[in-house]
Amino acid sequence: MQITRAAVCLVAFMLPSVAVQAASVHIVALGASNTYGHGRGRTNGGVEPSQAFPAQLEAMLRARGVDAHVANAGIPGDTTGGMLQRLNSAVPDGTQIVILQPGGNDARRGEGASRAGNVAAIQQQLAARHIKVIVTGMTAPASTRDPDGQHFNASGHAAVASSLVPRVMAAMRGK
């Protein structure tokens, strides 16, 4: 009888962690061209949708047993002001984590002075909706970039996705 009680206690102890792993996590990758996949398609210097970091991140999380859904809300050329304006439509209810990749378009368009304020406003609005935010600068070696030096090739997207896995796992645990 003690073995049975011990087994029941062990199963009861393990259930909460199993439930966390079994639950779906809805993630939105919000950013510009490096989130989108820069042109999408090898013929125009970009990567296929399945090679962009949001798709690769989803695959990596699923390989770890996480039922992850990563939506790609990247728009080439977007600025943090544009991301702020489309925040409610880009991040639907039910989203638990947003990966925010502000990019460098603000500086290229002469809007660099408003970047920090826009990023802070995005974070505040998402926090008010109880959505965790992971801000990423998306750094990777030069060898993982397209010939333009600004956008990632498939290897660069894989490196970014790999670097985000532990950050997403920590966000899921509430850390």
Side-chain angles (χ1 to χ4, degrees), residues 83-100:
M83 292 174 212
L84 180 59
Q85 287 179 348
R86 66 186 177 92
L87 189 61
N88 288 332
S89 62
V91 182
D93 289 341
T95 301
Q96 291 123 329
I97 300 170
V98 166
I99 297 167
L100 176 61

Side-chain angles (χ1 to χ4, degrees), residues 16-84:
S17 63
V18 170
V20 169
Q21 288 288 21
S24 293
V25 60
H26 296 276
I27 302 167
V28 172
L30 180 65
S33 55
N34 263 326
T35 300
Y36 179 79
H38 179 57
R40 289 232 177 125
R42 287 172 272 162
T43 58
N44 56 4
V47 298
E48 297 296 331
S50 63
Q51 295 176 316
F53 89 81
Q56 290 198 47
L57 175 62
E58 181 176 301
M60 289 176 186
L61 291 169
R62 287 178 176 260
R64 290 179 171 239
V66 176
D67 182 18
H69 305 276
V70 183
N72 188 332
I75 295 181
D78 205 3
T79 62
T80 57
M83 292 174 212
L84 180 59

Side-chain angles (χ1 to χ4, degrees), residues 56-57 60 157-167:
Q56 290 198 47
L57 175 62
M60 289 176 186
H157 281 276
V160 169
S162 181
S163 72
L164 286 168
V165 169
R167 296 177 72 188

Side-chain angles (χ1 to χ4, degrees), residues 75-162:
I75 295 181
D78 205 3
T79 62
T80 57
M83 292 174 212
L84 180 59
Q85 287 179 348
R86 66 186 177 92
L87 189 61
N88 288 332
S89 62
V91 182
D93 289 341
T95 301
Q96 291 123 329
I97 300 170
V98 166
I99 297 167
L100 176 61
Q101 189 267 317
N105 292 325
D106 289 359
R108 282 190 278 285
R109 294 187 178 192
E111 300 173 21
S114 59
R115 184 178 195 264
N118 289 336
V119 169
I122 291 168
Q123 290 176 305
Q124 286 174 331
Q125 287 185 27
L126 293 172
R129 293 173 57 192
H130 307 287
I131 298 171
K132 296 174 184 172
V133 182
I134 298 170
V135 180
T136 182
M138 300 211 15
T139 58
S143 63
T144 63
R145 294 186 179 269
D146 280 345
D148 69 5
Q150 296 177 30
H151 298 98
F152 295 115
N153 60 27
S155 296
H157 281 276
V160 169
S162 181

